[in-house]
Amino acid sequence: MNQAPATPKNGRRRHDREIIALAVPAFGALVAEPLFVMVDSAVVGHLGTPQLAGLGIAAALLMTAVSIFVFLAYATTAAVARRVGAGDLPAAIRQGMDGIWLALLLGAVVVAAAMPTAPWLVDVFGASDTAAPYAITYLRISVLGIPAMLVVLAATGVLRGLQDTRTPLYVAIGGFTANAILNVTLVYGAGLGIAGSAWGTVIAQAAMAAAYLIVVIRGARKHGASLRPDAAGIRASARAGVPLLIRTLSLRAVLMIATAVAARLGDVDIAAHQIILSLWSLTAFALDAIAIAGQAIIGRYLGANDEKGAREACRRMVEWGIGCGIVLGVLIVLVRPLFIPLFTSDPSVKDALLPALLVVAVSQPIAGVVFVLDGVLMGAGDGRYLAWAMLVTLAVFAPVALLVPVLGGGLTALWWAMTLMMAVRLITLWVRARSGRWVVTGATR
């Protein structure tokens, strides 16, 4: 019997199955990560306000440090996926090990730098005299977990590149559970206070890193891949990560500028801005899950020299991005009467929130395409273009945002500026995607 010819509909279904299989577990893992901080806050919050304030400052510093090095996951995913597509699993795992060794080196540097400078860092963030000692204590202990967290990022990239997003989900759930139990036990049972919360988080992070290493080492032994550090491979991983580091720093600068502008608008607007930012971050997790699927799928197709498959997958993921963006936008409008009371009962904050939330809702389809194309270009290893595109976006956004308080605009105007930022990203990424210059096939770019 002759096999039925492939049809566009069948191709879409195949891509849909791949996207769902990778994106759904990835979303679960992404949501689990911020729950670490939420658990710490819930446990430490009962110790007192100064302790909670200290935790807030230290956690902000730690999250910033980890987010800067997220390129360890992105660059590793793309490089490993290419080699998977090329059918060379030993080289794929070897590439992943280079990323893990780089993570360990960077983690050691961060620890060496942060330990002696902890008091200064806490002071720069404006900690009060009562909160500062708790922030320093938490920071000095928790920073010991940075190498483990960077290993988690790199190892997550390895597994994503191997088309496995389920294991990261299971590890994230296990880490969250262990962190919750350890926090309660050490803070209250052992009477260690905020130091107990920090040690609980460090232990949970170390356990997550160990779990990942067991999986990767098992794969390396199965396929005969070397586990030893390779200087050339580590340097190659670092070179691939630099453009993505620039991209991440530029994006962080956008968010910092937006928060600084909101603070200048007054207490009501900064309070409303923080609430909107929390919702915006939650929608970003959903869209980023599709982007993660894009990194893994596009890298694999390009590694297999399947240019047509890569283009079709890109097109289908863009459709997913638009569809998810529309759904998220509608949900924001529908749930705002339920969402807003969870965070504030202040009528003035609510009044500032409502129109700005509608702007966020309108911008979700744009964000959907941006996240997807970002993932596609990362999967293609097109980091240099992503860095330049984000620098251009920052250059456009910064003056517009800074003019908001000067021209008498409020929070809604600021979020229109944020929408402009996303629109600029959309244009730069769409131009690159349409050009086809990202389509570079082979086991390496």
Side-chain angles (χ1 to χ4, degrees):
M1 182 182 292
N2 294 330
Q3 188 175 5
T7 64
K9 187 175 182 179
N10 290 335
R12 286 196 299 270
R13 286 177 178 172
R14 184 182 74 254
H15 291 311
D16 289 346
R17 286 194 296 269
E18 287 187 324
I19 293 168
I20 292 170
L22 291 170
V24 173
F27 175 69
L30 288 169
V31 171
E33 291 174 9
L35 292 178
F36 267 76
V37 177
M38 289 179 63
V39 168
D40 288 7
S41 299
V43 173
V44 172
H46 292 286
L47 295 175
T49 300
Q51 289 91 332
L52 184 58
L55 170 66
I57 292 167
L61 285 164
L62 291 164
M63 291 299 291
T64 298
V66 173
S67 66
I68 286 173
F69 296 110
V70 74
F71 70 84
L72 289 166
Y74 294 157
T76 305
T77 297
V80 171
R82 274 185 176 270
R83 285 161 176 79
V84 169
D88 192 349
L89 283 177
I93 296 172
R94 173 68 263 174
Q95 180 73 43
M97 285 305 304
D98 292 335
I100 290 173
W101 281 112
L102 176 62
L104 285 169
L105 290 173
L106 292 173
V109 171
V110 172
V111 172
M115 290 293 283
T117 59
W120 176 78
L121 291 170
V122 168
D123 184 61
V124 167
F125 264 61
S128 66
D129 292 338
T130 54
Y134 297 109
I136 294 169
T137 297
Y138 189 92
L139 182 60
R140 278 184 165 157
I141 297 172
S142 291
V143 78
L144 297 174
I146 289 292
M149 281 306 297
L150 298 191
V151 167
V152 166
L153 286 175
T156 299
V158 176
L159 295 180
R160 288 173 181 170
L162 294 171
Q163 316 297 298
D164 176 10
T165 55
R166 289 182 179 272
T167 299
L169 172 60
Y170 299 148
V171 174
I173 293 172
F176 166 73
T177 303
N179 182 55
I181 295 171
L182 286 166
N183 262 262
V184 173
T185 302
L186 296 176
V187 171
Y188 299 116
L192 295 179
I194 194 170
S197 176
W199 280 117
T201 301
V202 169
I203 295 169
Q205 290 167 343
M208 291 173 67
Y212 275 117
L213 289 175
I214 289 171
V215 174
V216 174
I217 290 171
R218 186 179 298 162
R221 288 176 174 169
K222 179 180 178 181
H223 297 286
S226 174
L227 297 173
R228 295 179 180 178
D230 176 64
I234 294 172
R235 285 196 299 270
S237 294
R239 283 195 300 271
V242 168
L244 295 179
L245 174 61
I246 294 171
R247 167 202 167 274
T248 300
L249 290 173
S250 300
L251 182 56
R252 296 293 300 182
V254 165
L255 298 176
M256 289 175 65
I257 289 170
T259 300
V261 169
R264 290 180 63 187
L265 295 175
D267 290 347
V268 168
D269 283 333
I270 185 61
H273 175 75
Q274 288 303 116
I275 295 171
I276 295 173
L277 202 58
S278 66
L279 178 62
W280 191 75
S281 299
L282 181 60
T283 62
F285 284 134
L287 298 174
D288 202 27
I290 305 173
I292 288 169
Q295 293 170 31
I297 292 170
I298 294 297
R300 192 189 75 235
Y301 274 119
L302 294 177
N305 295 311
D306 188 352
E307 180 179 332
K308 180 182 178 182
R311 291 180 182 276
E312 289 177 351
C314 174
R315 189 177 305 113
R316 188 55 178 162
M317 280 183 282
V318 167
E319 292 171 358
W320 268 78
I322 295 171
C324 289
I326 291 172
V327 170
L328 289 172
V330 171
L331 283 175
I332 289 172
V333 173
L334 292 179
V335 305
R336 71 186 192 280
L338 302 174
F339 172 78
I340 294 175
L342 293 175
F343 290 88
T344 182
S345 57
D346 188 331
S348 58
V349 174
K350 290 181 179 180
D351 289 342
L353 267 173
L354 284 171
L357 270 179
L358 292 177
V359 175
V360 174
V362 169
S363 70
Q364 287 305 297
I366 297 174
V369 179
V370 167
F371 274 81
V372 165
L373 292 180
D374 212 34
V376 166
L377 297 185
M378 283 183 190
D382 204 6
R384 185 173 297 181
Y385 182 84
L386 289 172
W388 281 110
M390 199 61 227
L391 286 171
V392 169
T393 301
L394 175 60
V396 173
F397 169 77
V400 173
L402 293 173
L403 280 173
V404 168
V406 175
L407 298 178
L411 187 65
T412 303
L414 175 59
W415 276 93
W416 276 120
M418 289 287 285
T419 302
L420 170 66
M421 178 271 294
M422 295 301 289
V424 174
R425 291 187 70 190
L426 174 62
I427 292 169
T428 57
L429 296 175
W430 186 263
V431 167
R432 187 64 165 184
R434 292 285 293 176
S435 74
R437 295 179 66 183
W438 58 277
V439 183
V440 180
T441 58
T444 57
R445 183 177 173 87

